[in-house]
Amino acid sequence: MTTRLRRSVAGLTALALAAEGLGIALINWILGVIVRRQRMSLAGSDPGLMSLAAWIAGGLFALYLLGCAFVALRAALRDRPPRTAARILLVTCGVVHGLLGAFCVALVGWGAFAAVMAVLALVVCTLLAYDPADQAWGGGRDGGRGPGQPPEAVEAAPAPR
């Protein structure tokens, strides 16, 4: 995968995750306001606590998605694969999007499912584009040598005249 395509995919992933995170925060804020103003109660629970819980849950999920967006953006800007903890964060983001897609198709519809699966595809493409085992992007500790190739087997570039 070329550098331009790899960076574009990671940047688009960061943009999609950031938009999704902000959207989730906005939806949960609106739902919290509606519950508080309508004084809705579910089995006698306090509407104020339900509103606060919606705001906290939306904020935490938005922070999680914004953290994933930061990891993807950092990979795009530096053109380096994310380190282990950041890769684990992106993998969990992919798993969450897989589960969210299953819930979306059942509760919201096929349009929401397609949107969630598009973000999942971007996350997976970002993970595969910056695979640490693949040295094609030229960012390994071995200076671009192939796996198992000794340092002396790399030919020196000719000197400029």
Side-chain angles (χ1 to χ4, degrees), residues 33-127:
V33 168
I34 289 171
V35 168
R36 184 173 291 237
R37 286 188 182 167
Q38 295 292 323
R39 307 242 190 274
M40 296 178 186
S41 178
L42 184 64
S45 58
D46 181 26
L49 286 177
M50 288 174 46
S51 176
L52 182 65
W55 290 337
I56 291 172
L60 289 176
F61 193 52
L63 284 175
Y64 169 73
L65 290 173
L66 290 174
C68 294
F70 174 75
V71 168
L73 181 64
R74 187 171 178 204
L77 293 176
R78 296 179 66 207
D79 198 30
R80 296 268 189 244
R83 299 216 186 251
T84 305
R87 280 187 77 75
I88 290 171
L89 186 68
L90 286 179
V91 168
T92 62
C93 185
V95 171
V96 165
H97 276 82
L99 293 171
L100 193 60
F103 289 127
C104 277
V105 78
L107 299 174
V108 181
W110 289 101
F113 173 77
V116 170
M117 289 300 108
V119 176
L120 173 64
L122 287 171
V123 170
V124 170
C125 283
T126 300
L127 283 168

